[in-house]
Amino acid sequence: MARFCTQCGSSVEEGKSFCSQCGAAVAEAPVVRPAPPAPAPIPSAVPSFPPPPDTITAANPPPPTPAPPTMAAAATTPVAPSPKKGSPLLKIVAIVLGFLAFITVIGIGSCVYIGYRVERKAEQVAAQIKKETAQARGEPENVKTVPALPCSAVDPAQSQAFRAAAASASIPLKPGLTLVNLWTNESMGGREVEVLTTVQSIDDSTVTVQAARSQTGSPPSTRILCIADLMNARQYHPAFGTNDPTTIAGATMFTIPQVVFQDWQAARPAEFEYISTQNATEGRIRLTNELKGQVSRVEPNDVPYSIIINGDRKDVPAIHVKGQLGDKATEAFVLDDLANPITLKWEMPSWNYHINYVKINFPVEKKIEQDLAQTGRAEIYGIYFDFDSATLRPESDPVLKEISEALKNNPGWKIKIDGHTDNKGGDEYNLRLSQRRSESVMQALTTRYGITADRMTPEGFGASRPKAANDTVEGRALNRRVELVRE
């Protein structure tokens, strides 16, 4: 390869160390090696390329080619170790997995919490709707209401059989049947107020009953009992009042449903329920008490129960039962007659609630006339007055009518109307009260039934002629009476 002087540019002969023109020293010509292959270009915003081969000069030499490493160099060159257990890489992987698991748990928990909040919100919305509905109906909150339903239809043949048996019962279920309970009014010095429950009428599917306290100004209440319930219900609702529904489908009033009574007759525990109600809005009934439970027979045989029936004290056969209804211990005595199982006594001591019928009266065809004809005397217990008053109550109408018919059938009879009281209130007071009551009976027979006054003589005896001791409610009930005596 030709050489040139770096001072004057003249050609220098091969093997010479000095320029023949200017005498300058000339260095050995550099060994020019071929440029190594260019590396693959790296993409970038501005591409970079090595200079083309024809631009490589001494002033612009190519990058040196590294010599292959020697054994010593190779021995000292660090080599990256392969990942092993416990290495930082595994730790990083474990941390990442743990973080992902934590995130998953948080996510699941969040979903559960969100679901719980949605459910609670739905309950709150439902409660609010219920509250607003109750307010719109004028009902108090948190009180159950049910639809007011009519009586269920009864197969005509079944209804006829039921009514025929009930009318022939030992205490018949028929118009005029009156049960007398006593209510002790503490505000009136513990005086005993009669509570009257009277059957008004019976048809194919219902029994209409009127109930009232014998107090002046105490309005009567009407209950319509369903014959279907008298046979097959399992609820008992003895209460009544102007704020109570007229028809309470599913419940009886003064008798036990036959299906329950049959369980007791067979010594089987009976599922039973005591309820109390009030009128809610139109078409609905408010349930103020629902006491469910079991009631069972106590003795295997009937027990005698003393009660006044049509003026005579009698021992009637009764089934004695006890049980737990809701949180109330319950005890009752029920007339052992499937045709008309009257609740003679019902008690819930912890509630201070009781029903105790002391008198039961029912019409017997021409009984008054027969007694007057045979003995000249008839004791009348179907005449009722307002408490501490001579005002006749409407429950007296059937007996007043029977007296008038006896007198019309026997136009030659004249009678005395004797009034009697118990000993509560003082002798002089009771004497005047009994006289006024006798006069009220005579006036009713004269003005309403056409019996002339000259055939009747009223007289009051007060408490001077008791039939029983006045130290019991039953004795006092026997002593409050009207008697007819032929003259």
Side-chain angles (χ1 to χ4, degrees):
M1 178 181 293
R3 293 187 301 163
F4 299 90
C5 177
T6 58
Q7 296 292 326
C8 66
S10 299
S11 175
V12 179
E13 295 179 4
E14 187 177 354
K16 295 293 186 180
S17 300
F18 297 96
C19 178
S20 57
Q21 295 294 327
C22 64
V26 179
E28 291 293 327
V31 177
V32 180
R33 297 183 177 89
I42 300 175
S44 62
V46 181
S48 176
F49 300 97
D54 57 353
T55 61
I56 295 176
T57 61
N60 189 22
T65 301
T70 62
M71 292 297 295
T76 59
T77 301
V79 179
S82 60
K84 297 180 180 179
K85 185 177 179 180
S87 68
L89 179 59
L90 288 179
K91 291 181 179 179
I92 292 172
V93 170
I95 291 172
V96 170
L97 292 176
F99 178 75
L100 291 176
F102 175 75
I103 293 298
T104 301
V105 171
I106 293 296
I108 294 173
S110 299
C111 292
V112 172
Y113 178 74
I114 291 171
Y116 167 77
R117 293 299 300 171
V118 169
E119 182 179 4
R120 291 292 299 159
K121 186 64 176 178
E123 291 175 355
Q124 292 172 0
V125 170
Q128 183 65 25
I129 292 173
K130 181 179 179 181
K131 177 179 179 180
E132 291 174 356
T133 302
Q135 290 175 345
R137 291 173 175 166
E139 301 170 357
E141 296 179 41
N142 302 322
V143 175
K144 182 179 179 180
T145 64
V146 296
L149 301 175
C151 289
S152 301
V154 183
D155 178 77
Q158 192 176 19
S159 172
Q160 183 177 1
F162 171 85
R163 287 181 287 126
S168 302
S170 56
I171 299 179
L173 179 64
K174 64 181 183 178
L177 171 64
T178 301
L179 297 91
V180 182
N181 180 32
L182 294 179
W183 172 59
T184 303
N185 190 334
E186 300 298 339
S187 65
M188 295 187 295
R191 299 291 296 273
E192 294 159 358
V193 178
E194 291 185 335
V195 182
L196 310 175
T197 301
T198 303
V199 176
Q200 301 290 312
S201 63
I202 301 176
D203 60 26
D204 291 347
S205 59
T206 64
V207 177
T208 300
V209 177
Q210 182 174 281
R213 290 176 179 171
S214 58
Q215 283 181 283
T216 302
S218 178
S221 299
T222 299
R223 281 277 302 274
I224 296 178
L225 308 179
C226 306
I227 288 180
D229 295 334
L230 297 179
M231 293 187 291
N232 298 315
R234 286 196 176 268
Q235 291 181 327
Y236 182 58
H237 187 301
F240 65 90
T242 55
N243 197 33
D244 279 285
T246 300
T247 302
I248 307 168
T252 61
M253 183 182 182
F254 57 86
T255 62
I256 298 299
Q258 288 183 339
V259 66
V260 173
F261 188 73
Q262 286 173 326
D263 283 341
W264 293 342
Q265 283 185 318
R268 295 189 299 264
E271 297 293 329
F272 205 35
E273 180 178 5
Y274 175 96
I275 66 171
S276 56
T277 64
Q278 290 180 351
N279 286 314
T281 54
E282 183 177 356
R284 296 192 70 80
I285 294 174
R286 181 181 303 123
L287 293 177
T288 54
N289 283 291
E290 287 184 285
L291 305 177
K292 299 180 181 181
Q294 279 192 347
V295 180
S296 304
R297 186 170 189 164
V298 179
E299 296 87 358
N301 300 314
D302 288 347
V303 296
Y305 188 89
S306 179
I307 191 169
I308 301 167
I309 300 177
N310 283 348
D312 295 328
R313 186 193 292 272
K314 296 182 178 180
D315 286 340
V316 297
I319 290 180
H320 179 205
V321 297
K322 288 184 178 182
Q324 187 80 12
L325 298 180
D327 60 348
K328 306 292 188 259
T330 302
E331 182 175 12
F333 291 84
V334 183
L335 178 67
D336 191 359
D337 189 341
L338 180 63
N340 190 23
I342 295 173
T343 307
L344 303 170
K345 186 175 184 178
W346 180 277
E347 288 187 323
M348 292 178 170
S350 65
W351 210 0
N352 195 27
Y353 180 84
H354 65 88
I355 297 171
N356 184 17
Y357 293 119
V358 295
K359 293 191 296 184
I360 297 179
N361 300 310
F362 56 87
V364 176
E365 188 176 3
K366 295 188 175 183
K367 183 178 188 302
I368 293 175
E369 184 175 352
Q370 291 171 0
D371 288 347
L372 287 172
Q374 293 172 6
T375 66
R377 179 183 295 272
E379 294 180 349
I380 310 298
Y381 285 87
I383 293 180
Y384 307 98
F385 301 91
D386 280 348
F387 174 77
D388 207 21
S389 168
T391 302
L392 283 163
R393 294 193 59 82
E395 294 86 356
S396 306
D397 290 348
V399 170
L400 291 173
K401 182 179 179 182
E402 186 179 351
I403 295 172
S404 69
E405 290 176 349
L407 292 175
K408 289 177 180 178
N409 292 336
N410 300 275
W413 286 0
K414 290 187 178 182
I415 61 171
K416 282 182 58 182
I417 303 173
D418 295 346
H420 302 272
T421 68
D422 60 27
N423 66 347
K424 296 287 186 179
D427 291 342
E428 187 64 28
Y429 176 84
N430 285 326
L431 188 63
R432 293 195 303 271
L433 177 61
S434 63
Q435 180 67 32
R436 290 189 291 117
R437 286 181 169 178
S438 295
E439 292 171 354
S440 291
V441 172
M442 186 183 79
Q443 184 180 12
L445 290 170
T446 300
T447 60
R448 292 161 56 184
Y449 296 97
I451 306 300
T452 59
D454 61 355
R455 298 182 63 187
M456 297 174 287
T457 303
E459 187 173 2
F461 292 92
S464 63
R465 297 184 179 181
K467 284 189 66 177
N470 280 297
D471 56 357
T472 65
V473 293
E474 293 83 7
R476 291 190 290 273
L478 269 173
N479 294 334
R480 296 188 294 268
R481 69 195 188 278
V482 171
E483 291 185 0
L484 303 181
V485 181
R486 278 182 59 191
E487 292 185 314

